[in-house]
Amino acid sequence: MRTEAFMIASLLSAVLSYPVDLNIRDITSSNAESVYTALQQYYSESTGLWQNQWWNSGSCMTTIADLAAIDSNLKDDIVRVMENTYYQAPKTNADFLSDYNDDAGWWSLALISLYDLTQNTQYLSTAENIFSAMASTFGTTPCSNNSAGQGGIWWDEAHSYINAIPNELLMSVAAHLANRVQNGGGYRNIARRQWEWFRGSGLINSGNTINDGLDTSTCANNGGVVWTYNQGVILSALVELSTATGDSSLLSTAQNIASAAVEQLSDENGILHEPCESYAEGCDSDRTQFKGIFARSLAQLGKAGGGDYGDFLRRNAESVWGRSDDGKGVLGVNWAGPFAGGNASTTCSGLDVLVAALGT
Ligand SMILES: *[C@@H]1O[C@H](CO)[C@@H](O)[C@H](O)[C@H]1NC(C)=O
Ligand SMILES: *[C@@H]1O[C@H](CO)[C@@H](O)[C@H](O)[C@H]1NC(C)=O
């Protein structure tokens, strides 16, 4: 144990000695409050969405819930906004269900975070309903049986793809519910089975990162892009499953994935990048959201005792706030800067890392 802790500590200090010391300014709650205010210019009271984006708004609900949990100045306003969204968003997609299971996962987690803030069980029941729609293909896809277990769901109603994100979200929602609903044993069981399947699916590659999905005909890892959020959602899922089962080895597994992602997806100054930032066409409005999700989940892992990511998170928060902002709270997609335009998705993603750093 001691040797392992020492090795992890020296690995982290090796990873964290960067050539450039950013040392811009320390992130404060008032910085996060400015970003929240800027974010709200994109919020529509009538749709309950930010810039009319569907899944992104679900994810953004969890971002602001995490902010409310650490900033009592904002709590009442954030709960009001989230409750408004609870009533308005189903006008866009009834029962929070679109044709995509990952979208359902973001909304279910959003309502779980609203339950955590308010303890109102109505939100938890809706989260359970969303989950049961999401789980309707559990264990029945062509890639659902592997040597480790039976599980897995399709990405979409059209059954075109079996990918990492809806499958990580299914596990995460089940594990979150296991820790919150009374007699959550059924959810714990699904989360555990889903994890065994995920582990056996080949989605985690030999470098300990997670590719985009499976080849639907061979069921092998398709070698797709290693997106940041796919390294993040699994961390949160493993933390919750570890709580639900008491199995702390799940935290070590999460720690391996987290360190691999930090190392492989950060630049020489320790700033996290999405692979699409270097594409000619840049990042589309889905991908601009991903990094914040990774940061949020990394903070959760750190809080659960699965490693210390404080320096990494503060470094990234200081960078996005100091080098990739418009001076009025809007944050850009490239956290290393320079600011080249921003919107709801890029701002919400940047807010995630500010909140993660503040809470660490
Ligand atoms: C997976 O295995 C179960 C029983 O172990 C079986 O009922 C099911 O048909 C199998 N599914 C596929 C897609 O092979
Ligand atoms: C947000 O900005 C990014 C680039 O910074 C862009 O690719 C994306 O389409 C924008 N999203 C919306 C909804 O305008």
Side-chain angles (χ1 to χ4, degrees), residues 139-145 150:
T140 65
T141 78
C143 305
S144 278
N145 291 348
Q150 188 185 1

Side-chain angles (χ1 to χ4, degrees), residues 177-262:
L177 290 173
N179 291 326
R180 287 163 179 80
V181 303
Q182 283 191 340
N183 307 315
Y187 291 115
R188 186 176 63 230
N189 191 31
I190 293 184
R192 171 57 92 178
R193 286 170 61 198
Q194 177 69 355
W195 168 239
E196 294 306 326
W197 173 83
F198 193 89
R199 231 171 27 88
S201 71
L203 281 162
I204 308 177
N205 61 45
S206 57
N208 259 326
T209 58
I210 297 170
N211 294 93
D212 192 65
L214 299 177
D215 179 317
T216 314
S217 49
T218 64
C219 296
N221 182 323
N222 67 9
V225 176
V226 173
W227 299 112
T228 57
Y229 77 157
N230 275 327
Q231 324 311 309
V233 174
I234 198 72
L235 307 180
S236 174
L238 286 164
V239 167
E240 292 285 335
L241 184 59
S242 160
T243 305
T245 58
D247 178 355
S248 61
S249 76
L250 298 171
L251 295 181
S252 314
T253 305
Q255 206 161 344
N256 292 336
I257 296 171
S259 333
V262 164

Side-chain angles (χ1 to χ4, degrees), residues 333-346:
V333 61
N334 183 343
W335 290 358
F339 179 76
N343 50 40
S345 170
T346 59

